[in-house]
Structure formats: C-alpha cells, structure tokens
Amino acid sequence: ETRTVTDGAFDHLAPAWSPDGRLIAVKQTRMNGFVSQLLLIDDDGDEQARIGNEEGSVGTWAWSPDGSAILLDGSEVLSPTTDYYRYHVASGELTKITDDAGFSTVAGAPTISLPDQPVWTDGHTALVHGIKAGASGIWSLDVQTGEYEPIVWWNATHGGFSADDSGQRIVQTRSSLDVSGELVLVDMAAGETHRLTHLNDELFAELPLAQHEKITVDRDGWPIDAWVLKPADFDPAKRYPIILDVHGGPHGNYGYSFNAGQQLMAAAGYVVVAANPRGSGTYGRVFAEAVLGDWGGEDWADLQAVLDTVLENDWADRDRTAIYGYSYGGYMTSWAIGQTDRFKAAVCGAPVFNLKSFYGTSDIGHVWAPVQWGGSFAEIEAFLVERSPSTWIHRATTPTLIVHGRRDKVVPPAH
C-alpha cells in the first residue's frame, strides 16, 4: 500500500525514520531551496515538531541510536556556512555545539543528490563527512561538547556516506583529478581506504588525464589556493596558453575533483588555472563571508594574483591568456573584460550581468541578492550600479562567447 503523507506546496528531502519507527525527520525547503527546516512528522503526515529558524537552513541530520536526539547542521539566518546543533526530542531544545568548524558539509540538492548524513557510532559521538580546502575528510564529533577532530583525509572529493551498523565500514563515491565516479570503501577500524570500482581505467589509459599541481598564493595574509592542470604531454620547454577558470557560487569551490571541461581544455593544449578566491566554500566562515558586499573587489584581485603567479613560469604564455566561468564565474568573466584587456578571449556562461535587474527577474533574487550584496534594492542601489558588469561593458575589447540557456530562471538572459 502506498499513500501520500504530505501535501503542502513544499519540497521534502531525504526522510529518515526514528529508531522506534514512530516519527519521520524530513527537510522541508522554501524560498527556492534557500530556506529550510527539519520537520518531525508521524506516519499520517501530522507535524509533531519543526526544528530550526524559519529564516535559516538545515543541511544534514541523523537520529541518535536511541532516538532521543538528532544531530544536524544548519544556520539561523541565510549564510554560506553552517554549524552543528543537537536537538533533544522530548524537550524540543535545540543546542548549538560548534562555532565554525572550518569545513563544508555536503547537504545535497533536490533531484540531484542526497545529503551526506552523519553516522552515530555511539550515544555521544558521530562521524561527519565534510570538505576542507577542496578535499574530503571525515571528522569525529562529540555531540555533547561539539569538539571534533579529523580522522581521515584524501586529496579527492567524496560523496555519499553509507555506513554499516557498526559505523566502521563506509562506502562513498570518489572524484579526484585522476579518478571519476568510482566507489571506495573506508575501513575506519583499519584506517584504510579501498577503491572498489575501476569503471574508467581503460578510457583513461587511452586518453591520459591532465598533469596537475596545487599552488597557494598569499594575498595580504589570505591564502588563495588554485589547481593548475597541464596537458598530459606537458613539456616545460614549450610555451602554453593559459585559461583562468572561475567557479560559480560565489561559495562554490574547486579542488581535488574531476572536471570534464577542465580536462578537455588541458587535452586541447591549454594550461587551466582553477582558483578559489575569497568567498569560496570549504575554507570556513570568515573566508566565505569575505566576498559578501564586495563582488568584483578583493575576489577579482585574488584571481589576478593567482594568474600573475602562474604567468611567472617560463612555460606560460602571457600573451595568450583567456578567462572562462559560469554563473558567478560568468559574472567574474563579464566583469573582467570590462576592467582589463589582458585576456585574448573569454567564454561567459550564464552571467550575473546587471545586479539591479537581477533582483527582480531572477527566481532567487529576492532572497539571495540581499545576502550577497548587503541590503535591499533601495539601500544599496549605488553599489549595484558600481559592481554591475553592465556598467563597464562598453570598455570591453575582448572577443567573448556568451553561453546562456533561454529558459534559465536563476540567471535570466533578459536581466
């Protein structure tokens, strides 16, 4: 028998039964997914509790073994980072137990992926998966005190967090700069990680992947990481054109993960520079929030500093540089070509181009824009004009390809 237990005009994500089978914990999202709370409902769909601030968000969550508590991460207001909380089911008390853990949880996205839910190992400790500085790790978290410590670390990006009953054997997906879409088994007791699948080995033997290295540029005390991908047959005696690839977000991140576009560009003979300017996720709250109210400011300076560092190499052709990006990366691409003529070509994907019109035409403008740019339309109109690529685009001389979906509602072409 199948029956519907909720009928509200909201999305519901990843329902999880309580250990006694009496309640279901499920995330309910509003405001185009930006705002969310954790609901406790019974099997008739009747709401028994609502956890979290109605203006905040919930990321991941898991019941304690005895069902008396729930560990969750979230924020009290819209924020690029979250903290961990302990919810006491009987009393309804919600207690914040961490203050900026310094890594990003993997909260999933409706229709795309499920959250990497914490794994309780006993009544007071849980394992949590997160990403720090572009790399995956597992932390042990004391659910009473909020103290945490790293247990294992990989130069890869993992997804999923499926554990056996003991919490000692965990299966995850793995993506890295030389692995795409494989399964790994994490043996916590042995302290070992075993790769289970080799789905793409034959393909990558035939089509070698890019060489890669990580660099870090210091900008007035701010460490800016970047990954440099080079052609598989890279020869330092030759000179190579350089592509600066800017991620979306702005709280997205690059790191130890497989990116087909970057691999294709490297295979075509380019050196690709994938940087994490301030504002990028996986570096903690201060770094993530540094971009708020400053799009096109220090983030743009960070990207230029990384590019300048790469161009110091003899193999880098400073007369053949290009810039590419999508969404926030598209913003930065369209901003760049109005600020400098250093790039010989640009590919601009779904750019945030006019900050003023974005407020009213984007399906997320009403909730996302005030957080990113620091206020309501009327309060910051001068800033919106100053930092809009559209204000400066008349100065652009760079040949630019614009890639945009006609039905894009997040970043509408008409804006």
Side-chain angles (χ1 to χ4, degrees), residues 137-396:
I138 295 177
W139 283 259
S140 175
L141 175 65
D142 188 312
V143 182
Q144 298 299 319
T145 66
E147 295 180 357
Y148 55 92
E149 61 177 340
I151 302 299
V152 62
W153 193 266
W154 308 277
N155 284 342
T157 299
H158 284 195
F161 206 50
S162 180
D164 64 5
D165 289 341
S166 71
Q168 295 300 303
R169 287 159 50 87
I170 298 169
V171 173
Q172 295 188 286
T173 61
R174 167 171 289 185
S175 170
S176 69
L177 292 170
D178 50 18
V179 172
S180 174
E182 305 290 357
L183 289 176
V184 294
L185 171 65
V186 185
D187 188 329
M188 301 297 294
E192 298 175 348
T193 302
H194 306 280
R195 183 171 162 187
L196 300 178
T197 62
H198 297 266
L199 303 178
N200 294 298
D201 286 2
E202 292 185 11
L203 174 64
F204 293 157
E206 179 183 350
L207 303 172
L209 295 174
Q211 299 182 33
H212 57 267
E213 64 174 312
K214 178 184 176 182
I215 64 172
T216 301
V217 176
D218 185 284
R219 278 209 66 239
D220 300 325
W222 292 80
I224 310 301
D225 290 338
W227 284 259
V228 180
L229 283 74
K230 305 172 183 177
D233 59 353
F234 178 80
D235 181 351
K238 296 181 179 180
R239 291 173 66 83
Y240 293 86
I242 310 297
I243 296 176
L244 179 62
D245 186 347
V246 188
H247 64 62
H251 307 301
N253 72 282
Y254 282 139
Y256 295 101
S257 60
F258 189 88
N259 184 301
Q262 293 170 1
Q263 292 287 343
L264 286 169
M265 289 186 283
Y270 300 94
V271 170
V272 182
V273 181
N276 284 341
R278 67 194 70 186
S280 302
T282 78
Y283 293 88
R285 177 168 294 119
V286 173
F287 195 91
E289 292 183 348
V291 75
L292 302 183
D294 191 37
W295 281 37
E298 293 299 324
D299 51 351
W300 167 229
D302 291 343
L303 291 168
Q304 292 185 92
V306 168
L307 180 59
D308 289 339
T309 299
V310 172
L311 292 177
E312 292 174 1
N313 293 283
D314 292 338
W315 46 258
D317 190 341
R318 62 174 50 251
D319 293 325
R320 292 191 296 162
T321 63
I323 186 170
Y324 160 80
Y326 206 89
S327 195
Y328 166 79
Y331 165 87
M332 194 56 72
T333 300
S334 53
W335 175 260
I337 62 176
Q339 305 298 314
T340 179
D341 60 0
R342 71 183 300 177
F343 297 107
K344 300 305 179 184
V347 177
C348 182
V352 180
F353 186 65
N354 184 319
L355 274 57
K356 287 181 64 176
S357 59
F358 180 89
Y359 257 87
T361 59
S362 168
D363 65 355
I364 63 172
H366 61 297
V367 60
W368 187 78
V371 174
Q372 289 298 317
W373 301 324
S376 67
F377 181 94
E379 292 171 328
I380 59 170
E381 185 176 3
F383 169 84
L384 299 177
V385 173
E386 177 195 353
R387 297 298 176 92
S388 288
S390 57
T391 300
W392 310 101
I393 201 64
H394 64 280
R395 305 192 303 195

Side-chain angles (χ1 to χ4, degrees), residues 18-84:
S18 60
D20 63 5
R22 189 175 62 87
L23 294 173
I24 303 169
V26 60
K27 180 160 70 174
Q28 183 188 81
T29 65
R30 298 180 293 109
M31 303 290 276
N32 288 35
F34 278 87
V35 175
S36 56
Q37 291 174 289
L38 189 65
L39 303 188
L40 300 187
I41 61 176
D42 59 27
D43 58 7
D44 289 325
D46 295 328
E47 184 178 315
Q48 304 299 315
R50 181 175 289 264
I51 306 169
N53 193 319
E54 63 180 12
E55 296 180 354
S57 67
V58 170
T60 65
W61 66 96
W63 292 91
S64 64
D66 63 2
S68 66
I70 297 174
L71 173 66
L72 65 142
D73 79 275
S75 61
E76 297 177 9
V77 296
L78 288 180
S79 170
T81 60
T82 61
D83 287 300
Y84 281 99

